[in-house]
Tab-separated table of all heavy atoms in Angstrom:
chain	number	residue	atom	x	y	z
A	37	LEU	N	91.606	18.505	-36.882
A	37	LEU	CA	92.094	19.722	-36.197
A	37	LEU	C	92.265	20.806	-37.208
A	37	LEU	O	92.727	20.663	-38.320
A	37	LEU	CB	93.420	19.398	-35.557
A	37	LEU	CG	93.491	18.211	-34.589
A	37	LEU	CD1	94.880	18.039	-34.159
A	37	LEU	CD2	92.610	18.502	-33.360
A	38	PHE	N	91.857	22.048	-36.859
A	38	PHE	CA	92.139	23.156	-37.682
A	38	PHE	C	93.675	23.470	-37.650
A	38	PHE	O	94.297	23.787	-38.621
A	38	PHE	CB	91.408	24.406	-37.205
A	38	PHE	CG	89.939	24.518	-37.728
A	38	PHE	CD1	89.328	23.349	-38.169
A	38	PHE	CD2	89.305	25.719	-37.777
A	38	PHE	CE1	88.024	23.449	-38.569
A	38	PHE	CE2	87.993	25.837	-38.273
A	38	PHE	CZ	87.382	24.729	-38.675
A	39	ASP	N	94.279	23.283	-36.413
A	39	ASP	CA	95.689	23.455	-36.184
A	39	ASP	C	96.240	22.241	-35.735
A	39	ASP	O	95.969	21.791	-34.580
A	39	ASP	CB	95.943	24.599	-35.236
A	39	ASP	CG	97.401	24.771	-34.936
A	39	ASP	OD1	98.256	24.058	-35.470
A	39	ASP	OD2	97.711	25.720	-34.065
A	40	GLY	N	96.966	21.477	-36.554
A	40	GLY	CA	97.495	20.139	-36.237
A	40	GLY	C	98.803	20.089	-35.499
A	40	GLY	O	99.464	19.012	-35.505
A	41	LYS	N	99.052	21.135	-34.812
A	41	LYS	CA	100.432	21.145	-33.984
A	41	LYS	C	100.353	19.912	-32.989
A	41	LYS	O	99.391	19.709	-32.340
A	41	LYS	CB	100.479	22.476	-33.241
A	41	LYS	CG	101.749	22.562	-32.399
A	41	LYS	CD	101.811	23.879	-31.625
A	41	LYS	CE	102.956	23.908	-30.671
A	41	LYS	NZ	103.038	25.190	-29.845
A	42	ARG	N	101.562	19.270	-32.939
A	42	ARG	CA	101.628	18.093	-32.060
A	42	ARG	C	101.761	18.627	-30.578
A	42	ARG	O	102.558	19.462	-30.300
A	42	ARG	CB	102.836	17.293	-32.385
A	42	ARG	CG	102.760	16.620	-33.788
A	42	ARG	CD	103.889	15.605	-33.975
A	42	ARG	NE	103.766	14.414	-33.104
A	42	ARG	CZ	103.041	13.346	-33.389
A	42	ARG	NH1	102.447	13.346	-34.531
A	42	ARG	NH2	103.016	12.348	-32.540
A	43	THR	N	100.972	17.993	-29.760
A	43	THR	CA	100.941	18.366	-28.334
A	43	THR	C	100.933	17.082	-27.548
A	43	THR	O	100.736	15.933	-28.159
A	43	THR	CB	99.752	19.208	-27.989
A	43	THR	OG1	98.565	18.460	-28.145
A	43	THR	CG2	99.685	20.502	-28.799
A	44	ALA	N	100.931	17.109	-26.207
A	44	ALA	CA	100.797	15.948	-25.332
A	44	ALA	C	99.458	15.227	-25.603
A	44	ALA	O	99.375	14.054	-25.687
A	44	ALA	CB	100.967	16.376	-23.909
A	45	PHE	N	98.313	16.068	-25.751
A	45	PHE	CA	97.033	15.493	-26.019
A	45	PHE	C	97.057	14.863	-27.384
A	45	PHE	O	96.475	13.724	-27.505
A	45	PHE	CB	95.955	16.580	-26.019
A	45	PHE	CG	95.613	17.138	-24.632
A	45	PHE	CD1	94.974	18.343	-24.523
A	45	PHE	CD2	95.905	16.399	-23.505
A	45	PHE	CE1	94.585	18.812	-23.227
A	45	PHE	CE2	95.534	16.846	-22.241
A	45	PHE	CZ	94.943	18.088	-22.127
A	46	TYR	N	97.715	15.412	-28.311
A	46	TYR	CA	97.764	14.846	-29.689
A	46	TYR	C	98.435	13.404	-29.609
A	46	TYR	O	97.928	12.453	-30.201
A	46	TYR	CB	98.546	15.726	-30.549
A	46	TYR	CG	98.624	15.388	-32.038
A	46	TYR	CD1	97.999	16.162	-33.020
A	46	TYR	CD2	99.219	14.251	-32.571
A	46	TYR	CE1	98.028	15.875	-34.294
A	46	TYR	CE2	99.230	13.906	-33.861
A	46	TYR	CZ	98.657	14.771	-34.809
A	46	TYR	OH	98.694	14.448	-36.129
A	47	GLU	N	99.553	13.351	-28.883
A	47	GLU	CA	100.249	12.087	-28.739
A	47	GLU	C	99.495	11.048	-27.997
A	47	GLU	O	99.531	9.852	-28.338
A	47	GLU	CB	101.626	12.361	-28.152
A	47	GLU	CG	102.537	13.228	-29.054
A	47	GLU	CD	103.837	13.550	-28.356
A	47	GLU	OE1	103.984	13.182	-27.191
A	47	GLU	OE2	104.670	14.170	-29.027
A	48	GLU	N	98.721	11.457	-26.968
A	48	GLU	CA	97.924	10.513	-26.256
A	48	GLU	C	96.828	9.903	-27.056
A	48	GLU	O	96.646	8.617	-27.143
A	48	GLU	CB	97.201	11.234	-25.043
A	48	GLU	CG	98.090	11.482	-23.849
A	48	GLU	CD	97.259	11.972	-22.713
A	48	GLU	OE1	96.391	11.209	-22.195
A	48	GLU	OE2	97.577	12.997	-22.224
A	49	LEU	N	96.174	10.668	-27.939
A	49	LEU	CA	95.084	10.181	-28.856
A	49	LEU	C	95.747	9.331	-29.929
A	49	LEU	O	95.129	8.284	-30.287
A	49	LEU	CB	94.410	11.326	-29.478
A	49	LEU	CG	93.146	11.825	-28.766
A	49	LEU	CD1	92.464	12.966	-29.514
A	49	LEU	CD2	92.085	10.662	-28.580
A	50	GLU	N	96.853	9.701	-30.432
A	50	GLU	CA	97.607	8.930	-31.414
A	50	GLU	C	97.891	7.498	-30.847
A	50	GLU	O	97.742	6.471	-31.532
A	50	GLU	CB	98.843	9.649	-31.889
A	50	GLU	CG	99.460	9.167	-33.197
A	50	GLU	CD	100.594	10.116	-33.601
A	50	GLU	OE1	101.500	10.329	-32.791
A	50	GLU	OE2	100.527	10.493	-34.739
Side-chain angles (χ1 to χ4, degrees):
L37 307 174
F38 278 23
D39 177 359
K41 179 182 177 181
R42 295 187 69 87
T43 65
F45 285 162
Y46 189 114
E47 291 173 0
E48 282 188 62
L49 268 180
E50 197 173 52

